[in-house]
Amino acid sequence: MTSQTEQNNTQTTNAETDSEKFFPIPLKHVSARQLEKIPIYLLTENEYCLYSTDGLGFNNEDRQRLLDSHIKYIFISVQDHEQYFQAMSDAMLDVANDTTIQYEDKIDMLHGTSLGLVNKLSNEPLDKISVDQTLMQSNSSAQMIMNGVEYKDLFDMCSQDPEDVKNLVAMSATMQGFAHKLGLTDKNALSIMGTGAMLHDIGKVFLPKHNRTIEQIRSHVKLGVQHLDTIPGIPMEIRNIVAEHHERIDGSGYPYGLKGDDISLMGQIAGLVHTFHTLINQSDYKSERERIADALNILEEKLYKQFDNNMLKSFVAFVSNTLLEAAEDKTKLSMFNVSELDIGHRRNNPNGRRHERMYFRSKGSMEILFLKNEKWTVKSSHDIIMHNISQSGMGFMTYHRLQENEIVLAKLYVTNQNEPVCLVGKVARIHEVTKDLFIIGAVFFEANSQDATKRLFEKFNK
């Protein structure tokens, strides 16, 4: 093992500027045997220092020496993520419940083990050991969600990975996050959902790597189910997710063309989540926020017949409140009431605001106004997505850059009303999400806007 003098002469890499990523490993949750063949780094000030390599090994004395020196974490390179997965898979549940481990480190550890697992699932046929490892991984992520890790952070974790990895990990995180926000608190059920999501495309391992035909691609569902049937002890819910994630309630799906309640609840949720992630991966040239907003619009306007109406409304509200709303308000939203699906979410006095604020999501339009000869004149018109309103102001998203103090007339259509509700506000807050997507906060400019807001509240409260 290297001495302290030798450590100072070891290979180092700058923690701020080097593109290579390192995963933390909490020493107290892993054994020396798990680490003996992995290059290990220590973080000293602003540099990662190579502490040991495969040739030098790592034993119990080394581990204890570091612990006695109050070293809580060692680090390994992302290039060694498979070895990291083997080292950490048994320890992740302890990590999830360890209150002394920092929030960000827990996310990194979950990310590292997910990378190793998905690499394994994507390159070899599934076996009982892999199923058990996936259940263990999903159990850990479920526990983290129940302990307060936010879905938004899990989603961001997936965005940095290659496409195949991202799809599996992101779908698992979304299914677990969505189910938990709807009130599912049974960890075993959440673990099964996450496992089914991670395994939903296992049939693809049997397909050619390149030049796949549409028929071959569609065959991955039946191939996956057939392979699952050779493994004993697979929960039926996991089998349903693998078998039904391409089925749609209007009968337009495959491979069986199931309709309505012939598709299991797990299958319906998996189909909705799978479609959402497929949509947000179709426009790489757009920002993440734009892709999420576009995906929700397509689900609501073009694909709504393929999914249960209440489930779709719940999912749109969930994604809006956790992914889109986070760009404006860093305070995470608590779970919305299922009886209020049309408006998404209601909070009292968030961030010290004086008025009740309602969160919802509705397409609308705005007109930018200016005074000309003492009369209000329309300067330009633009589409918006309105997402919150109170007695004092409103919030919306737009692709048009506004200026502070500009006057805007927002038009919002309420269900079964031909005439829009018109709200006049002065731009008070501008958050630039990307160079062409902005979240706007406006305070009401005229008294009649407050009257119109009251009518909206009355409509929502019915």
Side-chain angles (χ1 to χ4, degrees), residues 392-410:
S392 61
M394 57 185 169
F396 57 88
M397 290 179 287
T398 175
Y399 292 109
H400 180 76
R401 183 184 293 273
L402 290 166
Q403 303 296 323
E404 286 191 12
N405 297 320
E406 278 194 304
I407 307 302
V408 295
L409 169 63

Side-chain angles (χ1 to χ4, degrees), residues 276-290:
F276 169 70
H277 282 286
T278 299
L279 290 172
I280 62 177
N281 288 328
Q282 286 181 346
S283 303
D284 290 338
Y285 63 91
K286 292 187 177 181
S287 70
E288 181 180 282
R289 300 292 177 184
E290 288 176 302

